[in-house]
Amino acid sequence: MSQQGPVRTRFAPSPTGWLHIGGARTALYSFLLARQAGGQFILRIEDTDRKRYVPGSEEDLMEGLRWLGLEWDEGPDKGGPYGPYRQSERKALYRRYAEELVARGHAYYCFCTPERLARLREEQRRRKLPPRYDGLCRRLDPEEARRRVEAGESHVIRFKAPREGTVTAHDLIRGDITVANKDIDDYILLKSDGYPTYHLAVVVDDHLMKITHVLRGAEWLGTFPLHVHLYRAFGWPEPIWVHLSTFLKPSGKGKISKRDADIFRKDHKSVLIRDLREFGYLPEAVNNWMALMGWSYDDRTEFFTLDDLIEKFSLERLKPSPAAVNFSKLDHFNGLHIRALAPEELARRLVPFFQKAGYSVTPEDLLPLIPIIQTRLTTLEDGPQLAGFFFQEDIEHPEQDLIGDKMDAASSYQALSKVYQRLEALDPWTTETIEQVLRGLVEELGLKPRQLFGIVRVAVTGRRVSPPLFETMALLGKERCLRWMKQALAALERLQAPASPS
RNA sequence: GCCCCCAUCGUCUAAGUGGUUAGGACACGGGCCUUUCAAGCCCGCGGUCGGGGUUCGAGUCCCCGUGGGGGCACCA
């Protein structure tokens, strides 16, 4: 362990887009680690590139994290002892640290223009050389460089990477990673606009904020040794480094592109947290799903609540290999967590989805339906689709569907009118009495249950697929059942005697 | 072109320091239940990337291939 004190982790996104499962999973693990150790989870916004700032993304990040239940202890909106937590508000700080590195001989001023650097890279590309800074300004006399800086000349500060030897960086899940120093470029630490690059900012802030475990995506593995160099140049103790595996597209072939993401969305699948929320996924399910991509508890346990995860998560069981996202597994987890919800809670969560579909309902309206729809939902979005007719004054009857299995319009009409007569006289109107009547009629009419119930189902719901029939009818009420059956009978009548052309 | 990482069923994964028929989940196929659709239960299909080593013994350790991923910006 390189640092002592409480466990402190952070999620440090840049506000350049919407929160996606890659970032959210990093946040989740970081949150879990802090919570289980009784430490702090920090949110830090890395907005040092003003050109790439996407308005609204910071809000999206926070809303997404809160929706998932990953509340932070310190962050831009709530402050904390090591603030500010937005890098653009810490700008002055970075220059000081960059200058310190120059003073210690670990960095230098560079006056090369972007144009010269572009030409240099082009030249190197042509000669099939690795693109790298050629060290022109590294050879400048420090005194002269300082004079030029003081004269106001545009410049950056670069890291003076050692030219010989190797560095060994230790990643918790991969072990030691050793690279030759000659393969490390003289990275820019401070840009000409005075903002730091990621490399400087992340090191300075993680140190100042006393971060003990750095969890981040595997895309940082390449510059990981540079960061280790920086810690050593500053003389700071390193945090524990954990580079999380990347996510691949469902086929396992390649990472997820913007185009892939658009294709998923058409099918109401998405890698964006805001979409998953909108598409009717539960935060519980999303967390469960994300947690298991790259981590496992044992050889059988798969259902986890956030509290379970706080208790059971461990860095030791993280995997280094990339994982393909599996949306059918998300569906599976969503069904599991929907079924685990208390009826009142499910009713409450379903409300916005019914409202969006045009049904103005309250949780109380929905509650009686829960017992018959809970096992039938994959997403909350399925709610109105499955049970919207409960809140309609009228329904449509697809006429052909009113004809029973292996029957014709005439016999279906006969059967349904019999049902109508008996139910009209039924009192009281309950699941049990309805079932009694209908089962009696099955017998009496010599039909199969599926034939008669099928006809009635379409008559009273307008659909071939519905929640269980008797419960549905009881909930619908006698008046609507009779009215809709009457309409169905009229439709069957029309089918028997097709209107002759007039 | 250079550097780094990874490798068990289609997919997510288990098999602490090498030791039985490589286990579970999703998906898929079949069955049970059954008024539809689900849920639930049962059964099945299916895997250690290839080649060399080390060893009595390799999914597990080493090397080489191959495949995949990431990086090589005054972006993060």
Side-chain angles (χ1 to χ4, degrees):
Chain A
M1 193 115 339
S2 324
Q3 281 195 353
Q4 56 246 32
V7 168
R8 288 174 57 84
T9 61
R10 61 16 174 218
F11 176 50
S14 63
T16 53
W18 313 130
L19 181 63
H20 54 84
I21 56 173
R25 185 257 239 138
T26 302
L28 172 64
Y29 289 167
S30 303
F31 169 88
L32 295 175
L33 196 61
R35 282 288 169 279
Q36 75 177 189
Q40 293 88 42
F41 172 56
I42 291 109
L43 175 64
R44 183 175 72 221
I45 302 296
E46 310 223 328
D47 57 346
T48 54
D49 185 355
R50 296 158 307 164
K51 295 181 289 293
R52 293 207 313 155
Y53 185 81
V54 173
S57 60
E58 207 175 302
E59 290 73 16
D60 184 78
L61 252 11
M62 296 204 228
E63 275 171 30
L65 292 176
R66 287 207 162 102
W67 179 71
L68 289 168
L70 312 180
E71 186 66 46
W72 49 97
D73 303 297
E74 300 165 26
D77 60 329
K78 59 202 318 176
Y82 304 95
Y85 294 88
R86 205 177 273 111
Q87 288 182 333
S88 58
E89 296 168 15
R90 303 166 65 81
K91 188 178 172 190
L93 206 67
Y94 306 111
R95 166 139 226 133
R96 229 174 63 214
Y97 283 96
E99 300 274 6
E100 182 184 329
L101 250 26
V102 174
R104 290 169 169 233
H106 290 299
Y108 60 93
Y109 297 107
C110 174
F111 305 92
C112 293
T113 63
E115 292 71 31
R116 182 179 113 81
L117 296 175
R119 277 198 308 276
L120 184 64
R121 267 195 300 275
E122 179 48 38
E123 167 82 10
Q124 287 163 334
R125 202 187 333 271
R126 228 183 42 243
R127 294 172 55 193
K128 297 213 183 293
L129 290 169
R132 206 138 305 162
Y133 182 60
D134 63 356
L136 181 68
C137 294
R138 182 172 170 142
R139 295 184 288 269
L140 248 34
D141 171 60
E143 279 315 307
E144 186 201 333
R146 185 177 317 279
R147 275 196 300 277
R148 287 170 69 177
V149 167
E150 275 158 15
E153 191 171 340
S154 179
H155 65 279
V156 301
I157 294 179
R158 284 183 183 273
F159 179 62
K160 192 186 280 183
R163 289 286 168 78
E164 278 160 20
T166 61
V167 223
T168 297
H170 187 82
D171 174 75
L172 190 76
I173 54 184
R174 270 162 266 259
D176 285 343
I177 295 165
T178 300
V179 297
N181 284 328
K182 67 172 170 55
D183 291 323
I184 297 173
D185 203 358
D186 281 3
Y187 284 93
I188 289 174
L189 265 20
L190 196 76
K191 302 186 260 186
S192 59
D193 62 5
Y195 279 89
T197 58
Y198 172 82
H199 311 300
L200 209 222
V202 75
V203 166
V204 168
D205 286 347
D206 283 343
H207 174 256
L208 260 25
M209 294 181 183
K210 296 189 158 47
I211 302 303
T212 56
H213 299 70
V214 171
L215 276 67
R216 65 205 326 193
E219 62 269 24
W220 293 112
L221 231 30
T223 46
F224 175 29
L226 166 70
H227 303 151
V228 169
H229 267 309
L230 286 171
Y231 271 91
R232 292 181 188 168
F234 279 119
W236 295 336
E238 284 178 56
I240 290 168
W241 303 96
V242 187
H243 292 90
L244 270 16
S245 61
T246 45
F247 286 156
L248 270 27
K249 59 177 93 181
S251 61
K253 293 269 181 196
K255 65 166 204 172
I256 299 158
S257 67
K258 274 271 187 303
R259 214 179 113 257
D260 297 323
D262 289 340
I263 294 169
F264 300 155
R265 296 184 85 252
K266 289 195 178 71
D267 198 25
H268 277 205
K269 308 289 180 217
S270 182
V271 293
L272 300 183
I273 298 302
R274 44 158 41 194
D275 286 342
L276 294 174
R277 177 183 191 173
E278 184 189 331
F279 296 161
Y281 289 95
L282 264 36
E284 292 93 327
V286 175
N287 279 329
N288 198 155
W289 178 58
M290 292 192 303
L292 259 18
M293 285 190 282
W295 176 83
S296 63
Y297 177 63
D298 60 15
D299 63 342
R300 52 195 69 256
T301 318
E302 291 216 305
F303 182 91
F304 296 98
T305 62
L306 233 208
D307 284 340
D308 292 336
L309 290 170
I310 290 172
E311 185 192 324
K312 311 226 158 110
F313 179 75
S314 66
L315 293 172
E316 291 69 34
R317 295 192 66 90
L318 249 18
K319 271 185 68 111
S321 46
V325 300
N326 184 343
F327 289 114
S328 40
K329 198 126 185 180
L330 204 214
D331 282 343
H332 168 71
F333 281 125
N334 212 49
L336 248 34
H337 281 95
I338 281 177
R339 276 169 252 139
L341 249 29
E344 295 73 17
E345 178 63 18
L346 178 54
R348 203 161 59 230
R349 297 210 205 182
L350 243 13
V351 167
F353 291 87
F354 274 84
Q355 286 178 340
K356 193 176 168 196
Y359 304 105
S360 56
V361 298
T362 65
E364 291 68 37
D365 296 329
L366 256 16
L367 191 56
L369 305 184
I370 301 303
I372 59 171
I373 64 173
Q374 191 158 19
T375 61
R376 275 162 255 264
L377 300 174
T378 296
T379 66
L380 297 176
E381 225 175 23
D382 294 340
Q385 166 81 358
L386 184 68
F389 65 87
F390 279 104
F391 305 100
Q392 291 176 198
E393 261 318 293
D394 279 298
I395 55 170
E396 301 276 312
H397 292 95
E399 299 191 348
Q400 289 301 323
D401 289 350
L402 284 164
I403 297 172
D405 192 28
K406 300 194 186 78
M407 294 172 72
D408 58 19
S411 56
S412 300
Y413 178 87
Q414 289 303 324
L416 188 58
S417 59
K418 205 77 182 172
V419 170
Y420 186 92
Q421 287 167 28
R422 291 291 165 82
L423 290 180
E424 191 177 25
L426 184 65
D427 183 60
W429 183 266
T430 69
T431 300
E432 293 71 27
T433 58
I434 295 165
E435 173 161 14
Q436 203 174 10
V437 168
L438 291 181
R439 289 209 188 274
L441 243 20
V442 164
E443 193 96 352
E444 197 176 320
L445 297 169
L447 292 170
K448 296 265 198 254
R450 60 177 299 121
Q451 291 179 302
L452 185 66
F453 298 165
I455 295 168
V456 179
R457 181 187 313 283
V458 176
V460 301
T461 68
R463 329 182 84 248
R464 300 187 92 115
V465 173
S466 81
L469 186 59
F470 315 128
E471 286 87 340
T472 297
M473 292 176 77
L475 253 20
L476 234 25
K478 187 170 180 177
E479 189 275 327
R480 269 190 298 178
C481 285
L482 291 178
R483 184 152 47 86
W484 289 350
M485 273 192 278
K486 191 171 267 179
Q487 287 165 8
L489 283 166
L492 279 169
E493 214 162 16
R494 285 195 296 278
L495 280 177
Q496 289 177 73
S500 47
S502 47

